[in-house]
């Protein structure tokens, strides 16, 4: 807080954020344009591309599947990824250093190949249900974020405060939640956001992992776009953003967003 | 519940370097034992071993009738004041102090009350709501102290807990620690680099060197009758003078230094004197006189100590340090003699 | 004994997941490329004999490297500012950074079309100001692909770096300053190495992300800027030639792995604490 | 097949997944009543559904909707059952073109065409031939379909014709003509929406496109016009097939017969879902405007040999990449 | 190049709390001044201000003829030993020490040589390749010290640089610091909580309290003639006895305590004695006697000090602490008198 930022840095950052946000206005404009194609500036105003999302049954059902998969997958990835990240930083000398690169593999292997191989091995080989395969695939896909992003925060964590908690009688698992987690909050939240977004946006892996009765929103959107070129897709993006602001606002109101950064 | 702590032939390694070598140590129930030793000799390592953050590569650790050697750290119920404080950065000062109580299932109201009371004792009542980052070094250290004291465990360990406090607070705190420790009968292991502190707070003091314990005794014994020249040097016998007896005359013994200076010593005062021995003396124990029977020296740098002047002295076989009274100012370069002050000197076996 | 195993036990679930559901399946898929009747490296010979495929490979490496470098630089600066602004502004900035990630690639590329197209906002503005007389062709160039990917990956850098930068103890920076390090010296010799754990993670994520990307280069680069992802897609999804596709994939995996390995090595030289 | 025996059955349909609500009302709900079965869908694009079917060895779905080049690929991989025409009474009502386009496999249930669209306000004179694509005044104005899209290989076919050769036998010459076309290309497109974006933002003025995109193009650029080509347009067919791993073959025949029936075809056409292939369907001129409709129109279409094209595709993709991606 | 440091009416705030209040301080060229003060009184803050990590809210800072007040920190050329070490975790011990030299453009070979030489001096040659995380507390502290010393800046500041070292090393290090500081003529500001250290190492000592400087003088003057009761208490005059003169008899003055105990004091020894004054004495300055002229007390807890026994004593107007000889062991509860030892006592103005 007291660190003063060089004015040039502030200007630079302002420009970066302006550029990051600018295209979103175009998308917002396109989403309310009363035309059956994407256009900017918007011609007329309509909310029908928003209501369209709710009217089309497949959007609803696939959105639910996508949310289930993204939430569960992200959660699972964090559940197994954080311990791995923890182990690699806490017991640095006892684990081989190449292990950390193993956890990059899921995003290093092209998604199509991952999806293809997964279907071959688990849907066909193990005869797991489609939803399970999809969940495994997504967990795998977002695991790198859970392990590596959280790991980056743990790299600078001072483990002596963990010892302090343990010496005060706090069991290791509880210590993790009461002392370690609050101090690497920024990393966990970043990992969560990135993992969730990766999962909810994923197309290529899901193409293969979906199957009879199970599909995800991005795939539905793509199917829709094969035939229709209307601004529905823009309104989906806008809805996602509104949803994000909403969730963040609730978090801010209840927990305070300070945990975002420690 | 008062228990004893026993370390039995404990060894410890960091990676491949051995830090503790067959260390044995026992602290009686309710006793406070200090570990004194030079930087890097393994004091913190010993505490970490007892606390359970490091596994001994050999040996065993017992607390009362419990074998701690393989017990998980959080089940050991040991309070530890960390050398580097290790405060929880995300918790306020009060919550830091209350943390251990929370783990013990103490209700919110009660633990806040206890934490407040302990903060009062360490003089930080006004800082209860602060975050650790906004504290001065000494304030952090006192929070670390309060955090360990408040849980009243059967064993407390202190790792240089007062090193960043000013003299007055240091004494206050050490009195407070001692008071609480006595009141609760808490067995305690106390690391300090301050001899006066160690001697004044401890029932017994262990002098450590390179992962071993050299002597474990009461302050009086250590201070007056070190068992070997390492301990002697450690407790301030800066001057270790090798001597050989040349003449025995009843209780009186005449001995000479290598340089040939001869002294007459009384066995009534010093105890039995072997044929070869080391005369150990603190600067206080070698009085600087302008003349008389003693070891002839040339005076060097003079330092003002408050209660006396200290002189670096040179002899043909090495340097010695002696003290002279404030009333008599001697100049560097002058010739003088060092006269052993019997109560402040002692006789040690020759070094191996 | 249990204690000795703890690190392994903690890492086991994630490791097993990767092993069982990635290394084995993908390994067996890629292994098919070595079982060709024409000889075990035949598919690779075919690949490297094609001029266009070599070009695509080099282009992919080039674009990914440039994208990574730019994302790291821009992301670092933005994250630095995010790490040092007061709480509320920080949350707003993080949300703003997340937004671009929430837009599908199609709408996003539409937005770029509106901005950078021949009749786009930027060209109109430049023409209006009389700075140019002909609309500039900004789309369908390597620059457009890089810009779009940087746009997409900067938020990722910001998210991975902000927390790490904030965690750098201030007194260490002060120590460097007191020893005479200029602000740039502090950055180069202390902030950068200490941010390395986050930086390297971000860089690896960005690099692999851009190396395997498919939709963005296709929409903003067109065929002129074809990357490995498209090559792979053509084999796998159009001609159903999975041996060919796996060959492309294997090459991609090997190249990314080597580059990730080199990046990690570099990071460790700056800061031995990088995991 | 009796409705009773199918009672507990689950019937699985693999299709694209768009227009789901209309298809549900027009086909699924009525058919459910007929068969008394549960219906489940696998959705996704042509390629990944064929891939998955292949991975599953033809199992998992009972009937699969594909566009013709992909059904041909499925046929080549032996994924589908041969169709017994006698089990599809409604086949008799179809245009000949749709009855058996791929040598004994599934019939087409809808038809479309590929031709040239252009912005009449900006392109002068009007486009009347495939050869006009090479006109020098169209420099950087054309958007071609990417080689991996449905219409992509047709560009190569037409380039062959432009060069006076058969692209299948003389690919060299055909691709020389594609190279000659390159200066006129602004950017090739891969999806319909991309094309609409390119046209609406003025990046391109002329394109080779499928007819179903026309309405959207016109909405974006009212002056977009479907060129009347003297060589005629090219037909595209969407077919339905029964995978060889189907566990409900009888139901599948029943289903295919149902979607080829006049009422269904009529309804679909009227609601703008799919163009009819049943000769019995009658549309008002207004309804017919968006479709490839009527015996005359259909008679003028060229049909591609997808078997040959799929064989050539790998080579064509490489050659195409050499031209456009180097 | 030897320069002086001047702080002129400096104030400093953390947020809204004022930490330094109109602090003025001047260190002459080549002089070593210690800051002594209780925990949290603003010592570290003062150093941070001079180093440039904190901007004064008022006042100015000058180093020689340069105005530092607004100068960026890295241009100040000031060495600082941090209280919490602040070592670079990613650099080896040697690279930590060489860091400052690198900033000054010293070539690799030369800076490694210099770093090695400095590590030798602080006794860490064997640890040059280690990373800081694998060092003990005292070892880290010595690295921090070496890192600041090696750059030989015109101004050096030390924030409790020896707090985690054992007694012997502490003395060695302080001699080393003093030697280098003298040899280079480095103007120095030294924070310590150890009076003996402050007094032995410094040319002058500043006693701080709550953001202000109470007295800045040579150790001798401070130790023997504190200017006010705050400083007196600080330098160990634990006993502050308010007295009123009842009789003047030439150079002899008779004064009584509130409780009525009367003492006869010589103005030749104590200097002029005002009518109301405070008699300040260290425990050493109040000799515990079984009887005689003095302040009658009841003996309380006895502590062994090594050179003497210390007794907590109670009187009707407050507690006093006195020392008795080792030769005469008195039991708690006994009646005794405290006799002021003139050289160890002093006369202060009454508190406001
Ligand atoms: N970042 C901060 N925010 C608010 N108050 C602070 C901060 N840092 C220090 N303080 C307060 O300022 C006062 C002076 O702190 P400073 O660190 O200068 O003390 P000090 O004299 O060095 O003490 P010590 O001997 O304990 O290290 C203390 O009361 C402390 O609580
Ligand atoms: N993590 C580690 N890895 C390797 N060696 C270590 C590690 N921690 C400490 N050491 C070494 O072990 C020895 C003992 O360290 P320890 O911390 O126990 O010393 P100490 O007695 O507490 O010293 P101090 O008084 O300086 O704090 C030291 O020489 C130190 O360098
Ligand atoms: Mg230690
Ligand atoms: Mg301080």
């Amino acid at each position: 807080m007291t660190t003063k930022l060089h004015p040039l840095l502030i200007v630079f950052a302002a420009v970066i954020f302006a550029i990051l946000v600018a295209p979103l206005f175009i998308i917002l404009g396109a989403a309310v344009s009363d035309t059956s194609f994407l256009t900017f500036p918007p011609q007329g105003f309509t909310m029908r591309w928003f209501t369209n999302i709710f009217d089309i049954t497949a959007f609803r059902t696939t959105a639910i599947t996508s949310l289930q998969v993204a939430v569960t997958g992200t959660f699972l990835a964090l559940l197994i990824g954080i311990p791995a990240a923890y182990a690699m930083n806490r017991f640095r000398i006892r684990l081989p250093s190449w292990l950390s690169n193993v956890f990059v593999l899921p995003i290093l292997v092209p998604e199509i190949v991952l999806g293809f191989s997964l279907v071959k091995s688990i849907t066909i080989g193990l005869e797991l249900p489609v939803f399970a395969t999809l969940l495994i695939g997504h967990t795998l896909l977002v695991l790198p974020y859970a392990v590596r992003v959280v790991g980056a925060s743990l790299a600078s964590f001072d483990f002596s405060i963990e010892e302090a908690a343990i010496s005060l009688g706090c069991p290791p698992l509880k210590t993790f939640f009461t002392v370690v987690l609050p101090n690497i909050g920024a990393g966990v939240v970043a990992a969560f956001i990135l993992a969730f977004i990766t999962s909810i946006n994923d197309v290529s892996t899901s193409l293969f992992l979906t199957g009879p009765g199970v599909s995800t929103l991005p795939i539905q959107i793509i199917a829709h776009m094969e035939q229709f070129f209307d601004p529905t897709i823009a309104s989906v993006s806008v809805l996602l953003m509104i949803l994000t602001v909403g969730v963040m606002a609730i978090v801010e109101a209840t927990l305070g967003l300070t945990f975002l950064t420690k | 519940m008062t228990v004893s702590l026993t370390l039995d032939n404990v060894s410890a390694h960091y990676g491949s370097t051995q830090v503790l070598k067959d260390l044995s140590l026992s602290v009686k129930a309710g006793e406070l034992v200090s570990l004194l030793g030079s930087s890097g000799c393994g004091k913190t390592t010993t505490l970490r071993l007892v606390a359970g953050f490091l596994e001994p590569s050999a040996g065993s650790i017992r607390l009362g009738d419990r074998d701690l050697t393989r017990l998980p750290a959080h089940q050991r119920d040991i309070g530890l004041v960390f050398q580097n404080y290790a405060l929880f950065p995300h918790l306020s000062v009060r919550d830091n102090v209350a943390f251990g109580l929370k783990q013990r299932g103490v209700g919110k109201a009660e633990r806040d009350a206890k934490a407040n009371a302990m903060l009062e004792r360490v003089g930080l009542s006004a800082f209860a709501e602060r975050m650790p980052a906004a504290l001065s070094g000494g304030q952090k250290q006192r929070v670390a102290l309060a955090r360990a004291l408040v849980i009243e465990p059967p064993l407390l360990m202190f790792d240089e807990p007062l090193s960043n406090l000013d003299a007055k607070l240091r004494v206050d705190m050490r009195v407070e620690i001692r008071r609480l420790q006595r009141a609760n009968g808490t067995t305690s292991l106390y690391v300090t680099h301050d001899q006066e502190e160690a001697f004044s707070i401890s029932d017994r003091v262990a002098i450590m060197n390179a992962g071993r314990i050299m002597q474990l005794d009461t302050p009086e014994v250590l201070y007056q009758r070190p068992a070997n020249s390492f301990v002697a040097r450690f407790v301030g016998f800066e001057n270790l003078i090798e001597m050989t007896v040349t003449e025995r005359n009843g209780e009186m013994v005449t001995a000479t230094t290598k340089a040939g200076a001869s002294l007459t010593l009384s066995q009534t005062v010093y105890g039995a004197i072997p044929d070869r021995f080391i005369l150990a003396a603190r600067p206080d124990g070698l009085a600087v006189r302008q003349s008389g029977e003693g070891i002839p020296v040339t005076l060097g740098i003079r330092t003002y100590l408050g209660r006396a002047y200290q002189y670096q002295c040179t002899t043909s076989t090495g340097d010695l340090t002696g003290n002279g009274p404030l009333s008599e100012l001697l100049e560097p370069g002058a010739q003088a003699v060092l006269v052993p002050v019997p109560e402040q000197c002692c006789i040690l076996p020759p070094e191996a | 004994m249990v204690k000795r195993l703890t690190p392994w036990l903690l890492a086991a679930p994630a490791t097993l997941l990767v092993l069982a559901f990635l290394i084995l399946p993908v390994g067996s898929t890629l292994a098919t490329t070595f079982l060709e009747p024409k000889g075990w490296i035949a598919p690779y010979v075919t690949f490297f004999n094609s001029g266009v495929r070599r070009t695509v490979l080099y282009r992919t490496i080039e674009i990914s490297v440039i994208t990574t470098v730019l994302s790291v630089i821009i992301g670092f600066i933005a994250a630095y500012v995010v790490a040092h602004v007061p709480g509320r502004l920080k949350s707003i900035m993080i949300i703003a950074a997340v937004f671009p990630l929430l837009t599908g690639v199609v709408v996003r590329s539409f937005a770029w079309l509106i901005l950078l197209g021949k009749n786009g906002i930027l060209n109109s503005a430049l023409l209006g100001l009389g700075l140019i007389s002909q609309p500039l062709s900004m789309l369908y160039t390597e620059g457009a692909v890089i810009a779009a990917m940087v746009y997409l990956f900067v938020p990722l850098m910001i998210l991975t770096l902000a927390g790490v930068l904030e965690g750098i103890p201030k007194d260490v920076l002060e120590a460097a300053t007191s020893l005479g390090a200029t602000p740039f010296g502090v950055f180069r010799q202390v902030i950068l190495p200490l941010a390395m754990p986050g930086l390297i993670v971000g860089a690896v994520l960005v690099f692999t992300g851009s190396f395997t990307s498919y939709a963005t280069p296709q929409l903003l680069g067109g065929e002129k800027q074809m990357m490995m992802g498209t090559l792979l897609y053509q084999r796998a999804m159009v001609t159903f030639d999975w041996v060919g596709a796996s060959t492309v994939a294997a090459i991609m995996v090997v190249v990314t792995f080597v580059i990730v390995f080199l990046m990690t090595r570099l990071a460790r030289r700056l800061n031995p604490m990088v995991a | 097949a009796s409705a009773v025996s199918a009672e507990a059955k689950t019937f699985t349909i693999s299709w694209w997944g768009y227009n789901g609500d209309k298809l549900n009302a027009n086909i699924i709900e009525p058919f459910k009543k007929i068969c008394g079965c549960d219906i489940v869908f696998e959705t996704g694009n042509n390629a990944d559904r064929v891939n998955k079917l292949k991975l599953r060895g033809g199992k998992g779905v009972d009937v699969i909707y594909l566009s013709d080049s992909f059904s041909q690929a499925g046929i080549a991989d032996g994924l589908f059952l041969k169709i017994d025409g006698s089990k599809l009474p409604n086949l008799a009502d179809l245009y000949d073109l749709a009855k058996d386009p791929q040598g004994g496999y599934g019939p087409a249930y809808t038809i479309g065409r590929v031709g040239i669209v252009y912005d009449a306000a900006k392109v002068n004179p009007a486009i009347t031939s495939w050869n006009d694509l090479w006109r020098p005044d169209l420099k950087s104005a054309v958007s071609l379909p990417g080689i991996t899209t449905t219409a992509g290989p047709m560009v190569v076919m037409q380039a062959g014709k432009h060069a006076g050769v058969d692209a299948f036998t003389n690919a060299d010459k055909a691709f020389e003509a594609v190279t000659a076309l390159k200066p006129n290309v602004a950017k090739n497109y891969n999806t319909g929406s991309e094309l609409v974006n390119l046209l609406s933002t003025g990046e391109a003025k002329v394109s080779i496109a499928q007819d179903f995109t026309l309405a959207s193009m016109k909405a974006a650029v009212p002056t977009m016009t479907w060129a009347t080509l003297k060589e005629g347009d090219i037909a595209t067919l969407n077919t339905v097939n029964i995978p060889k791993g189907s566990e409900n073959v009888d139901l599948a025949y029943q289903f295919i017969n149902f979607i080829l029936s006049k009422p269904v075809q009529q309804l679909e056409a009227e609601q703008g879902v799919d163009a009819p292939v049943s000769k019995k369907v009658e549309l008002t001129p207004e309804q017919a405007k968006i479709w490839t409709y009527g015996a005359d129109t259909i008679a003028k279409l060229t049909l591609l040999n997808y078997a040959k094209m799929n064989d050539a595709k790998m080579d064509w993709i490489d050659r195409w990449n050499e031209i456009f991606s180097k």
Side-chain angles (χ1 to χ4, degrees), chain B residues 14 19 39-45 83 160:
Chain B
Y14 284 116
V19 175
S39 176
C41 73
K43 304 178 294 294
T44 299
T45 306
Q83 186 168 13
E160 312 196 0

Side-chain angles (χ1 to χ4, degrees), chain B residues 35-188:
Chain B
L35 290 180
L36 258 178
S38 57
S39 176
C41 73
K43 304 178 294 294
T44 299
T45 306
T46 308
L47 300 198
R48 284 172 49 82
L49 214 59
V50 175
F53 305 139
L54 196 69
E55 245 184 73
S57 39
S60 69
I61 305 168
R62 304 185 53 79
L63 185 64
D65 47 11
R66 288 191 302 159
D67 184 355
L68 294 190
T69 323
R70 303 271 174 261
L71 199 70
H74 71 279
Q75 290 170 10
R76 298 192 178 193
D77 202 9
I78 295 175
L80 174 56
V81 183
F82 285 73
Q83 186 168 13
N84 62 351
Y85 322 146
L87 300 183
F88 306 124
H90 61 298
L91 298 180
S92 70
V93 165
R94 181 185 294 116
D95 290 346
N96 260 279
V97 175
F99 188 92
L101 296 171
K102 197 169 168 189
Q103 307 316 313
R104 283 161 178 75
V106 178
K108 172 101 179 106
E110 188 185 343
R111 64 178 191 256
D112 278 1
K114 282 196 174 179
N116 285 343
M118 191 51 78
L119 284 172
E120 177 82 48
R121 287 200 173 139
V122 297
L124 290 177
S125 296
F127 296 84
E129 316 290 343
R130 283 245 188 127
M131 298 306 276
L135 295 181
S136 79
Q139 287 162 347
K140 282 185 195 149
Q141 193 161 40
R142 281 178 280 160
V143 177
L145 185 62
R147 186 176 65 177
L149 289 175
V150 80
I151 57 172
E152 302 186 355
L155 177 66
L156 263 168
M157 303 199 293
F158 303 84
D159 200 350
E160 312 196 0
L162 310 176
S163 62
N164 274 278
L165 303 182
D166 56 284
K168 207 175 130 44
L169 203 50
R170 234 176 138 100
V171 173
D172 291 353
M173 288 297 113
R174 116 188 155 202
V175 169
E176 188 66 34
I177 290 174
R178 188 60 164 157
R179 207 184 56 69
L180 282 172
Q181 185 261 335
R182 283 245 172 87
N184 301 332
T186 316
T187 309
S188 305

